[in-house]
Amino acid sequence: MRVPLSWLREHVDLPAVTAHEVADKLTAAGLKLESITSHGHDVKNVVVGEVLEIEELTGFKKPIRHCKVEVGEATPREIVCGAVNFAVGDRVPVVLPGGVLPGGFEVGARKTYGRMSEGMICSERELGLGDDHKGIMVLPADSPIGGDVVELLGLRDDVIELEITPDIGYALSIRGVAREAATAFGVEFRDPADVEPPEETGASWPASIADPTACDRFVLREVRGFDPAVPSPFWMRLRLMRAGMRPVSLAVDVTNYLMLELGQPLHAFDRDKLTGEIVVRRAAAGERLETLDHVVRDLDPDDILITDQSGPISMAGTMGGLETEISDVSTDIVIEAAHFSATGISRESRRHGLVSEASKRFERGVDRELPLVASWRAVRLLAELGGATVQPGVTHAQVDVTPARIALPAGHPSAVAGVTYAKATVVARLEQVGCVVTDGDDPAVRSGGVDPTGVVTGGALAAMLAVKGDDMITVTPPSWRPDLTDPNDLAEEVIRLEGYESLPSVLPAAPAGAGLTEGQRLRRRVGRALAEGGYVEVLSYPFVSADDLDRLLLPAEDARRHAVRLANPLSEDEPLMRTTLLPGLLKTLVRNVGRGFTDVALYETGAVYRPREDAAEVAPVLGVERRPTSEELASIEAALPDQPLRVAVVLTGEFERSGWWGGGRQASWADAVQAARLVAAEAGVELSISADQHEPWHPGRCAALYVGDTLVGHAGELHPRVLEAYGLPARTSAMELELSRLESRMPGPVETVAVSAYPVATQDVALIVPDFTPVADVEAALRDGAGALLESIRLFDVYVGAQVGEGNKSLAYTMRFRAPDRTLTVEETTEARDAAVAMAADRVGAQLRSA
C-alpha cells in the first residue's frame, strides 16, 4: 500500500514530522515499512508561463514552434517547442535556464533549429507526473503567471509504501493508515467515511442476494447524463499515480480513488448494457465469462458472480465482465458496492490466477458498513466532476449479521505480555482501535466451556480467567476489524499500541531433560564421521517418480517399488514418497558432474517411507478447532507408513586427489564399503560383509552388510545400466545402510578398556585361500583362533599370481598381541598365531604361504 503523505495529512493533523518519522511510528504500531519515495524535492525553477506568440518554423521533418512566453519577468522568454497541443493564451509549466527537472535533469539556454531557446515548456512526463508525453501540460487558466508550479500542483510529496499482512486488511486504505497514524501521534483523526447519505427514497436498479454465504450486503446507485469526455482532475490523477495506480477515465478513476481512500472496492456498470434484475449468486456448471482483460474464463460452481438476465456480468470482488464495461460513450452509470465473503473471494482469485486490487481487499476483509457511504460518495463525485445527475433512491439488499462480541478478562493482556496493564489502559486502547467496551461479563458471549479434548475456547478462556478474580469486560470490535475474533486478538491490540519496545526481554527457562537421545547422538556422530572422511552432505526432496524406480532397475516384486502416493504432490512428476535415498543423491551427483565437478563424494541422512500391509488406506482429516482425541491420533498413526532412518553415499572420480605429490586414486566399490564401516564404527558394531546381487548395484561388485544375522544395507559399484540411465560416469559407487537397524543393535554405554602398559608383539601371517573366499570370513577365523591376546588384525596385502596357483589368492595380515598383565614371550605369540592359522585352515581351507 502506497500512502502519499499529503493525502494522509488530509485526514490526520500530523505535527511537523518527516516521512521517516511517520514511518517509524507506523512500524512501531505493527505496519511493516517497505520504502519511502520522495517526489518533486529536486525540481527547481519551474514557473507558470502564458503563451503570447507562436511562430511555426518550416523546413523541418516535424512541427517546430518558436514561442514567446510571459513568465513574470521584465521581458518574455523565447522558447522552441515541438508540441502542438497548446495555443496563444494558454498557461503552461516552463523550466527557466538553470532549472532542474525530476531525476536531476538540468535545463539551460541553447540555440536549436536556428533560434535561441531560453528554457523548456514541459509535458506531464517531464514533470514526473505520469507517462503522458503526447503534448504539453496545459494548466488551469487562473494559474498565476510566474507562480511556482511545484507548489501550485503539489508536486513535492513523500510516499510511504507499506507491506500489508493478511490480518490487517483495513490498512489497505488511506482511511486505515490514517487511523493508525492518528493513534500513534495522539492527534485527531478525520474519518473520510464520516458522511451521512440521504435517506433512502426508493430503490435504484433492482438487485437481490441469492446466496447469503457469498454476500451479505449489496448496494446500487445510479447517475445519468454523465459526460464521458470530461478528464479526471489533476489532483485525482496525481494521487492515483503516487498511490501506484494508472489513471484511466473519470468514471474508473473515481471508483479507484475511493477504493484507495476508504478501502471499499467499487464497480461501475454501463446502465444501457444491463438487462433485468441483478442477482448475486454462485456460478452454475458450464457458465463462462469474458472479463475486462479479454480472457474467457470457465467458471467454477464455488465462484461468486454478479449476474443479470443475460447471465454472469462480473466475477464478484475480482474483475468485471467485458460485456457491461463502461466505455467512452457511456452516459448512464450504475455504481455497485458490496460486502462479499472473504474466503470466497480468496479462493476465487487463486482458482483463476486473477489477483486484482479489489480482490486483495475483499480477501482480507472489508468494512461491512462502507457500501452505502462509498457508493454515495462515488455518485456525488461523478456529479460534481462529470456533470452527471444523481438519481434518487438506492438499492440495498442485505442479510442480517450479528456483530461479534468477545468476553475478555481485563487482566488477559497483562498475562499474555508479562507486563501489567491497568484496566483503564486496556479499555482506552481497545476504544482507540474502534471497539465498544462495556463492563461485566455477558453470559451470551461466554459459552461453551472446555471441549472434550481439553482445548479452551475463546469464551471458555474468559470464563476460566474470570474465576480467578479478573474484571470482565465485553468487547464489540468495529466493523472494519473482522480480524478481531478472540481474546488473544484483543490482547495483541493492547500490547502493540502500548509499544512492543516496552516488553521486557526475558529468556525462557530451559526445560528439564536429558539432552539428546542415543539415536540423535548417533546421527550426529555419523554425519561428522562421513564429513571427516571426505563426503559432503546434501538434502534432497523426499519425492520420487516411478521413472526413478525404473532407472534403478528394481524388479517388479521389490519392496522398494511399493511407495506411498501423495494426495497433493508438489509436482505430478514426483508424486511418490521415497523408499530409498539413492534417487535424490544420484540426481544431485548428476547436477554436479554436469557442471564440471568430476570428483564428488556425497552423503545424505534421512527417512524413507515404506507402506505397512496392515495400514489404513486413508488417514482421517481432522478439524483444527480442538485437540484430537487419543483414538483419532491412533487412527492417524495407523495410516502412516513405516519411516526408518537411512544413510547413503555416492561417489565418483578421484577419491584421493592427484597433485604435485603424485597420482591420486579413483573411487571404487571398496570406498563405498569403507563408508559403511565408518558408520558402523560410530554405532559401536562390527559389520560382516559378503558378496550379494542386489539392484541397483553391479551383480559382481555388490556387498551385503550384516550386523550378526541382520541385513543392514548394501554397498558397491552401481550397475552400468543404472549409470547410463542417470548419465553418470563409469565406476560410480554407492552405499545405503539403515541406521534404525544399527541403532537397535548398539551395545549400549561404552565401557572404557584398561590400557596395557606392556609392549606389543607383532606377527605377520600370509594365507593362501580360494579366490572366491570372502576376506571377512578369513579375518573372523583368525580372530576366533587367536583368542584374547589378539589386540588388532589388519590386512596389508592381497596377491594373485603364479606363486599361489590358479584360482587362489594370498592374504597377508599383521596381527598384534598384547597382555594386560605381563610381557608376552615369543612362544606365547607364536602359539596364538598358530592357533589362528589352524582355525582359518579348518573354516575356510587356508594354507600358510611359505617364503
Side-chain angles (χ1 to χ4, degrees):
M1 178 67 191
R2 297 180 182 177
V3 182
L5 192 57
S6 60
W7 201 350
L8 193 66
R9 288 184 182 278
E10 191 173 294
H11 304 293
V12 185
D13 292 327
L14 293 176
V17 292
T18 66
H20 289 275
E21 291 173 307
V22 175
D24 289 342
K25 287 284 191 179
L26 293 176
T27 299
L31 302 183
K32 182 182 177 183
L33 175 67
E34 280 288 296
S35 64
I36 298 176
T37 306
S38 296
H39 297 275
H41 292 278
D42 55 348
V43 179
K44 299 178 182 178
N45 213 13
V46 182
V47 300
V48 177
E50 181 179 0
V51 180
L52 302 178
E53 298 179 12
I54 298 177
E55 178 186 356
E56 305 288 346
L57 302 182
T58 59
F60 302 102
K61 293 182 179 179
K62 61 179 181 179
I64 299 297
R65 312 169 95 188
H66 180 254
C67 309
K68 285 188 177 181
V69 184
E70 174 62 49
V71 293
E73 298 178 337
T75 58
R77 294 281 184 172
E78 296 184 4
I79 300 174
V80 175
C81 182
V84 296
N85 69 312
F86 62 95
V88 172
D90 284 344
R91 306 254 168 125
V92 294
V94 177
V95 187
L96 299 178
V100 180
L101 290 175
F105 179 71
E106 296 185 8
V107 176
R110 64 190 182 98
K111 190 171 185 179
T112 181
Y113 295 101
R115 301 295 181 92
M116 179 59 69
S117 182
E118 301 173 303
M120 186 172 76
I121 306 175
C122 300
S123 67
E124 289 188 5
R125 189 172 74 175
E126 288 161 342
L127 290 174
L129 301 177
D131 297 327
D132 188 2
H133 196 55
K134 296 178 181 178
I136 293 305
M137 180 181 185
V138 178
L139 301 173
D142 59 352
S143 301
I145 297 175
D148 186 353
V149 169
V150 173
E151 295 296 333
L152 179 68
L153 300 181
L155 302 185
R156 192 171 287 117
D157 202 355
D158 294 301
V159 177
I160 302 171
E161 185 172 1
L162 303 169
E163 179 183 327
I164 306 303
T165 54
D167 60 322
I168 53 171
Y170 67 93
L172 277 173
S173 65
I174 300 296
R175 180 195 187 206
V177 177
R179 181 180 282 108
E180 290 292 340
T183 301
F185 283 96
V187 296
E188 182 184 355
F189 166 63
R190 291 183 293 277
D191 191 349
D194 189 12
V195 176
E196 191 66 36
E199 292 291 333
E200 301 178 9
T201 58
S204 180
W205 190 275
S208 63
I209 299 172
D211 188 343
T213 66
C215 176
D216 57 32
R217 176 163 285 176
F218 193 78
V219 174
L220 296 177
R221 296 184 191 269
E222 287 185 50
V223 295
R224 297 185 186 175
F226 173 74
D227 185 357
V230 175
S232 301
F234 176 77
W235 59 267
M236 180 178 288
R237 289 186 286 123
L238 180 61
R239 283 188 171 178
L240 288 174
M241 288 185 290
R242 293 280 164 82
M245 300 196 75
R246 180 177 61 88
V248 178
S249 64
L250 178 57
V252 174
D253 292 349
V254 164
T255 59
N256 286 337
Y257 179 83
L258 292 174
M259 176 181 67
L260 291 172
E261 185 173 68
L262 300 176
Q264 171 66 54
L266 301 167
H267 188 70
F269 294 104
D270 188 328
R271 185 182 186 279
D272 295 335
K273 298 177 182 178
L274 296 174
T275 55
E277 182 186 22
I278 290 178
V279 179
V280 184
R281 60 172 174 83
R282 302 279 181 175
E287 284 190 305
R288 309 179 81 193
L289 173 66
E290 184 175 2
T291 46
L292 293 174
D293 56 359
H294 299 278
V295 176
V296 178
R297 302 183 184 275
D298 295 317
L299 302 174
D300 187 273
D302 284 336
D303 289 341
I304 304 173
L305 301 180
I306 300 174
T307 66
D308 64 4
Q309 288 184 359
S310 67
I313 59 175
S314 177
M315 290 176 65
T318 306
M319 185 172 286
L322 189 64
E323 188 63 30
T324 55
E325 177 189 21
I326 59 173
S327 65
D328 54 5
V329 296
S330 300
T331 58
D332 299 341
I333 297 174
V334 175
I335 295 294
E336 166 252 310
H339 185 260
F340 297 112
S341 162
T343 55
I345 298 301
S346 176
R347 291 169 181 166
E348 176 179 280
S349 172
R350 281 152 181 77
R351 187 181 301 119
H352 292 278
L354 189 60
V355 179
S356 63
E357 291 295 328
S359 70
K360 289 179 185 177
R361 288 161 173 81
F362 277 122
E363 68 184 10
R364 286 167 169 80
V366 171
D367 186 353
R368 187 178 180 273
E369 302 302 322
L370 277 178
L372 284 170
V373 172
S375 60
W376 171 246
R377 285 200 56 195
V379 296
R380 288 301 305 160
L381 283 173
L382 291 175
E384 294 169 7
L385 303 176
T389 301
V390 178
Q391 297 301 298
V394 58
T395 297
H396 183 194
Q398 65 174 326
V399 177
D400 290 337
V401 176
T402 302
R405 289 184 295 165
I406 305 169
L408 177 73
H412 184 55
S414 301
V416 172
V419 176
T420 301
Y421 301 121
K423 179 180 178 181
T425 300
V426 172
V427 172
R429 289 303 189 184
L430 292 177
E431 288 178 343
Q432 277 185 319
V433 173
C435 298
V436 176
V437 183
T438 57
D439 280 326
D441 181 13
D442 188 338
V445 179
R446 179 164 56 89
S447 62
V450 180
D451 67 23
T453 64
V455 175
V456 182
T457 61
L461 171 65
M464 292 175 66
L465 293 178
V467 173
K468 296 179 181 180
D470 286 312
D471 290 336
M472 294 298 299
I473 56 177
T474 298
V475 181
T476 303
S479 57
W480 59 84
R481 292 300 302 272
D483 58 301
L484 303 181
T485 59
D486 63 50
N488 287 330
D489 294 333
L490 301 177
E492 182 182 0
E493 292 301 300
V494 174
I495 295 168
R496 76 177 182 89
L497 293 180
E498 280 295 298
Y500 292 121
E501 69 279 359
S502 65
L503 298 180
S505 179
V506 180
L507 289 175
L516 298 176
T517 65
E518 190 59 37
Q520 290 170 329
R521 285 195 287 268
L522 172 62
R523 291 192 284 276
R524 294 193 178 188
R525 291 199 305 270
V526 166
R528 283 195 295 267
L530 289 174
E532 291 168 359
Y535 294 86
V536 177
E537 184 177 18
V538 299
L539 294 175
S540 306
Y541 282 117
F543 313 121
V544 297
S545 66
D547 290 340
D548 289 318
L549 306 179
D550 292 338
R551 285 193 285 267
L552 293 178
L553 306 180
L554 302 186
E557 67 279 4
D558 195 302
R560 289 170 292 177
R561 278 197 175 274
H562 303 153
V564 176
R565 178 174 288 273
L566 293 168
N568 56 340
L570 292 180
S571 169
E572 289 297 337
D573 294 334
E574 295 180 325
L576 307 177
M577 297 296 288
R578 67 187 177 194
T579 56
T580 168
L581 299 180
L582 292 179
L585 275 172
L586 293 178
K587 290 176 184 176
T588 304
L589 186 60
V590 168
R591 283 194 293 273
N592 281 272
V593 171
R595 286 161 176 76
F597 299 100
T598 55
D599 306 317
V600 185
L602 307 174
Y603 83 93
E604 180 174 9
T605 304
V608 297
Y609 306 86
R610 295 291 186 86
R612 300 196 305 264
E613 293 183 359
D614 59 343
E617 290 188 4
V618 180
V621 178
L622 306 179
V624 297
E625 68 279 357
R626 59 178 176 80
R627 186 181 187 277
T629 63
S630 299
E631 292 76 13
E632 289 171 333
L633 290 174
S635 66
I636 294 175
E637 290 287 344
L640 295 178
D642 287 331
Q643 300 174 48
L645 190 70
R646 291 194 165 199
V647 59
V649 306
V650 294
L651 60 160
T652 190
E654 289 186 345
F655 193 68
E656 294 178 3
R657 301 298 174 85
S658 58
W660 59 266
W661 52 84
R665 182 177 63 80
Q666 290 293 313
S668 70
W669 62 268
D671 295 300
V673 173
Q674 180 60 24
R677 286 198 175 100
L678 285 175
V679 174
E682 295 301 326
V685 298
E686 188 76 24
L687 284 182
S688 297
I689 299 170
S690 61
D692 197 4
Q693 293 187 17
H694 188 71
E695 293 76 9
W697 283 273
H698 190 296
R701 297 167 188 156
C702 174
L705 312 174
Y706 287 89
V707 176
D709 297 329
T710 303
L711 177 67
V712 295
H714 288 85
E717 184 179 308
L718 292 173
H719 197 290
R721 286 167 54 193
V722 174
L723 302 181
E724 181 181 359
Y726 278 96
L728 286 168
R731 315 308 289 267
T732 297
S733 300
M735 178 276 291
E736 186 170 23
L737 186 149
E738 194 152 304
L739 273 179
S740 299
R741 292 182 183 176
L742 279 189
E743 184 179 342
S744 66
R745 300 298 296 267
M746 290 172 62
V750 177
E751 294 184 6
T752 303
V753 179
V755 178
S756 174
Y758 294 93
V760 65
T762 302
Q763 291 275 356
D764 289 344
V765 61
L767 302 176
I768 299 174
V769 296
D771 58 7
F772 57 80
T773 305
V775 173
D777 291 351
V778 179
E779 183 177 319
L782 291 173
R783 283 184 182 276
D784 292 344
L789 294 179
L790 181 66
E791 183 178 77
S792 66
I793 182 170
R794 181 176 66 88
L795 176 68
F796 68 86
D797 185 53
V798 178
Y799 171 75
V800 177
Q803 295 183 21
V804 297
E806 185 177 353
N808 294 326
K809 61 183 176 183
S810 172
L811 306 177
Y813 293 90
T814 293
M815 304 176 72
R816 291 165 55 93
F817 299 92
R818 195 193 310 257
D821 56 351
R822 68 188 186 280
T823 300
L824 292 176
T825 65
V826 174
E827 290 77 11
E828 287 178 306
T829 57
T830 302
E831 182 182 351
R833 183 202 65 183
D834 292 344
V837 172
M839 181 66 74
D842 182 57
R843 286 190 184 178
V844 298
Q847 298 178 7
L848 190 64
R849 180 181 174 185
S850 62

